[in-house]
Amino acid sequence: MSDLPTRKDDMPVEMDRVVAHDAPVRKLADGFKFLEGPVWLGDRLVFSDIPASKMYVWSASAGVSVYRDESHNANGNTTDSDGHLYTCEGESRCVSITEPAIGGERRVLVDSYVDGGEPLPLNRPNDVVVHPKTGAVFFTDPVHGMSDDKFAKHSSYGGMWVFRLDAGATSAVPAVRDFERPNGLCFSPDLSKLYINDDSRKHVRVFDLADDGSLSGGTVICEIDEGVPDGMRVDTGGRLFVTAGDGVHVFQPDGTRIGKILCPESPANCRFGGDGMKTLFMTSRTGLYAVDTLVEGI
């Protein structure tokens, strides 16, 4: 349990609706290298340890165990409405799918896109979401931890884009090309918008999502003042939860920050789960943390 206060408020009345003052931030497990990609699978949490190239599973009854011994430097994870697991893999430069998520077979879903000729390999897919109705897969494709020279040699297309893979397709198409370094992404509760952050520019943009999967707009809706934005989630009220250097920053749907949920370690990602989807799990560098909230997450 952390000695830090749980909250830092900008709008105390609004934060009172999100998390109680006395709700402790609990450490569930530690001893990892760099955690990312939490995803809730009914009664358990699956998450990635990127440099260890492993994936783990945590449950309240059994604690932590290994989910996948070799994850190809897995990063972000998500699921679809059929219970399949989608994983961004840095080493293999792909998004993989495991069907079903527990006990299923892993296969490469997409590792390239076609630009009028030969397929071009992806960079290092980072985070991923799947549209619950259309099955379209959106993922960010930055190159993290590389110098400009290494990036120039590594990237086949010379950029860091957001891609879309339509249901049944084998090659991704660029969805947005004007990010400096795209990172986390999530849908609004009504699926009409897609939030995508840029960790280099330290802001979050919001795009209108059309029925055909195309994106328009891209207005900056909020900025992060501590560290950089990384993983993001929303609750059923449309509030946006963005991981940052000091914890999880909470914003109203219009981008007004109402406060922060503080964490002892900088969280790289977060995910709602637990009973009623009211526990916010945070993958925070070497430790896995959780806090009970008063809202229902998505």
Side-chain angles (χ1 to χ4, degrees):
M1 188 177 299
S2 169
D3 293 330
L4 284 174
T6 299
R7 290 170 28 179
K8 183 176 181 181
D9 299 348
D10 294 288
M11 303 171 64
V13 173
E14 293 301 321
M15 279 297 285
D16 284 342
R17 297 186 172 99
V18 174
V19 62
H21 273 286
D22 58 354
V25 173
R26 310 184 305 276
K27 180 183 282 188
L28 304 179
D30 61 12
F32 304 101
K33 293 183 178 180
F34 190 101
L35 294 187
E36 250 285 6
V39 59
W40 185 250
L41 301 177
D43 62 351
R44 67 196 80 181
L45 188 82
V46 169
F47 55 97
S48 306
D49 189 337
I50 300 174
S53 201
K54 293 181 182 292
M55 293 173 66
Y56 294 91
V57 59
W58 173 91
S59 69
S61 59
V64 174
S65 58
V66 175
Y67 171 85
R68 182 167 289 160
D69 259 320
E70 176 50 65
S71 73
H72 309 284
N73 297 122
N75 194 331
N77 298 285
T78 196
T79 55
D80 62 15
S81 55
D82 294 321
H84 303 150
L85 178 69
Y86 296 73
T87 301
C88 291
E89 299 180 4
E91 181 186 36
S92 49
R93 300 170 68 173
C94 77
V95 178
S96 68
I97 183 171
T98 303
E99 307 168 286
I102 301 297
E105 181 180 350
R106 169 205 170 272
R107 63 179 174 85
V108 173
L109 182 68
V110 60
D111 60 3
S112 65
Y113 90 101
V114 177
D115 185 20
E118 292 297 317
L120 299 174
L122 301 173
N123 293 330
R124 293 175 67 88
N126 182 276
D127 209 351
V128 57
V129 291
V130 180
H131 195 287
K133 294 182 179 179
T134 68
V137 179
F138 291 85
F139 62 94
T140 55
D141 190 38
V143 177
H144 282 100
M146 287 194 171
S147 66
D148 291 341
D149 180 61
K150 287 183 178 179
F151 168 68
K153 294 177 181 177
H154 180 87
S155 176
S156 64
Y157 59 90
M160 301 189 199
W161 297 346
V162 182
F163 286 93
R164 185 186 80 243
L165 179 73
D166 292 322
T170 56
S171 178
V173 296
V176 190
R177 303 175 190 241
D178 65 347
F179 277 86
E180 190 166 320
R181 194 166 60 191
N183 196 323
L185 70 176
C186 65
F187 296 110
S188 62
D190 64 1
L191 305 176
S192 68
K193 301 181 185 303
L194 181 64
Y195 298 101
I196 311 172
N197 67 49
D198 190 319
D199 66 36
S200 183
R201 294 168 174 158
K202 299 186 179 183
H203 63 215
V204 180
R205 298 168 64 185
V206 57
F207 294 83
D208 294 317
L209 178 61
D211 291 341
D212 64 359
S214 61
L215 300 176
S216 61
T219 302
V220 174
I221 191 171
C222 59
E223 298 181 351
I224 295 299
D225 64 1
E226 185 71 33
V228 300
D230 203 327
M232 300 192 297
R233 296 293 177 263
V234 295
D235 66 15
T236 55
R239 299 176 190 87
L240 185 63
F241 294 71
V242 185
T243 58
D246 52 355
V248 178
H249 296 194
V250 186
F251 298 88
Q252 297 281 48
D254 67 0
T256 302
R257 194 179 71 190
I258 63 176
K260 304 177 180 182
I261 299 172
L262 301 177
C263 190
E265 294 182 85
S266 297
N269 214 326
C270 62
R271 173 72 73 163
F272 284 98
D275 292 340
M277 297 294 286
K278 290 186 174 182
T279 299
L280 183 67
F281 294 93
M282 295 169 279
T283 47
S284 303
R285 302 296 189 266
T286 65
L288 175 66
Y289 295 81
V291 60
D292 295 327
T293 72
L294 303 173
V295 297
E296 181 182 347
I298 296 176

